[in-house]
Amino acid sequence: MDLSRRGFLQAAALTAAASGLTVACGGSSGSGSTKNGKDLTLWYWGGALSDNVVAEAKTHFGSTVKLTSASIGGDFKQKLTTTIAAGTSVPDITGIKGEDIASFLPNGDRFLDLNDLGFKKISSQYLDWKTKLAQTKDGKQIGFPIDIGPTALFYREDFFARAGVPTDPGKVAALVKTWEDYFQLGTELQKKNPGTYLVNNIGSMFDMTVGQGTQRFIDKNNHFIGDQDHIRAAWTTSVRPYTLGLDAKINDNTWNAAVGKTLLTELGAAWHALDIEQAAPQTKGKWRVCPMPVGPANQGGSYLALPRQCRNPEEAFKIISWILSPANDARGFTDAAIFPAAPAAYTMPAMTGPDAFFGGQKIIDVFGPAAKAVPIAYEAPADAAVMAPYKTELTNIEAKGKKPDDAWKDAVSQAKQIARRQGVS
């Protein structure tokens, strides 16, 4: 289950679409025409950028901008990969989702090196760990950071108060410094709030616990390490809510209904605030945010890139630099809860005001420090594919009552097979 605006909210839409930005000053649109042309196209998906900022790009650059949409069947990556492979109608500028960037790095030559266009001069404005995730092994920068997903603990102030538990974010943070603290608190809360649960499902827990570490499933030498202690510890922690009866076992189809009624807390990224608000508007003022147990992870966050077919790289880079400037990043947070990768935005008025949905809390006070404290972990091109069996087996525990130890053994076995097929030793 992927609790994200880029996941379940898009999946609920009638169609998925890529939006095109046409910067038209003469010439023909569509890649393949003369270099240094005046028509540039930008592909992105709903929620990836502030539509208001994109719309204003036309006046800033003195051009006529036309936004269009095209159905892509819900899979932006597949649409982009197919188009780049065909070599025709390739966008001049494209979004790349954070979970997909690692898979594009081995084919980094299909994109321009943004350092050659001036990114190196402004890279210090963006979080270093985020920037490095879009670098090839030889140092080529193929992605310009759009946003990030620093995580925290969202919790229901009213459920906490009913249980006689402190509700102030600072006091709650002190109560949940470790995962065991969190589970102990959940047990106490559940007793006073019958029919409620601490976590939505243990697959989402696993995303968090793995993301808190400095190693994942494959090391920098392309060796499989998904059977080592750090992954086993993340697995064991993630299964605990299930064994304690704190797991709601929620899937995509039931989350919207549950978030406003039966969930005591939510572990999620900064952009998840909008998901909660849209799914449960009747709970306005009842939610608060505090740091996550142990420390933050990162979930999501995307990039803009320039395919090598880009017809006017210098102009395209000016456009993305403007769209993703710290000031416009802050506006993106206001417009669509897109959390900036530029720390300078965190002190701007657009991000420092009180949030009525969270009882007037200034949630940037939680997410700003979390963004800067995200641990750096190497993510291999095959990482997402290798992780998939673990998530499947966690679902099997919930849905089929599979024994956690058996599920672990099967997850590791399947992950090793996938790793070998992906060229991992």
Side-chain angles (χ1 to χ4, degrees), residues 6-44:
R6 297 156 181 78
F8 74 83
L9 289 181
Q10 289 185 19
L14 294 176
T15 59
S19 296
L21 167 67
T22 302
V23 184
C25 300
S28 61
S29 61
S31 292
S33 59
T34 306
K35 279 276 186 181
N36 297 320
K38 297 296 184 179
D39 296 332
L40 301 178
T41 57
L42 163 65
W43 280 10
Y44 67 104

Side-chain angles (χ1 to χ4, degrees), residues 303-341:
Y303 299 86
L304 287 179
L306 306 183
R308 66 183 181 191
Q309 293 91 341
C310 179
R311 291 160 295 163
N312 193 334
E314 291 75 18
E315 187 69 10
F317 184 76
K318 289 178 183 178
I319 291 172
I320 64 176
S321 299
W322 185 85
I323 290 175
L324 299 178
S325 66
N328 282 329
D329 270 359
R331 292 180 58 201
F333 182 75
T334 301
D335 293 344
I338 303 168
F339 196 87

Side-chain angles (χ1 to χ4, degrees), residues 358-411:
F358 292 94
Q361 182 182 356
K362 296 181 180 180
I363 62 176
I364 188 60
D365 291 342
V366 176
F367 288 112
K372 298 175 183 178
V374 169
I376 298 175
Y378 170 70
E379 187 169 339
D383 187 87
V386 171
M387 184 180 189
Y390 298 86
K391 302 289 288 292
T392 298
E393 289 299 326
L394 288 167
T395 299
N396 287 339
I397 292 172
E398 293 176 321
K400 301 177 181 179
K402 191 169 183 176
K403 293 180 179 180
D405 284 345
D406 292 340
W408 165 258
K409 292 175 183 176
D410 289 344

Side-chain angles (χ1 to χ4, degrees), residues 14 27 69 80 114 130 146 228 255 289 312 336 343 388:
L14 294 176
S69 297
L80 177 62
L114 300 180
K130 178 65 176 179
I146 296 176
Q228 294 185 6
W255 183 84
V289 187
N312 193 334

Side-chain angles (χ1 to χ4, degrees), residues 54 119-120 123 145 169 198 210 225 246 258 272 324 347 389 393 408:
V54 171
F119 181 76
K120 187 173 291 187
S123 63
L198 189 67
V210 171
I225 55 173
L246 301 172
H272 195 41
L324 299 178
T347 60
E393 289 299 326
W408 165 258

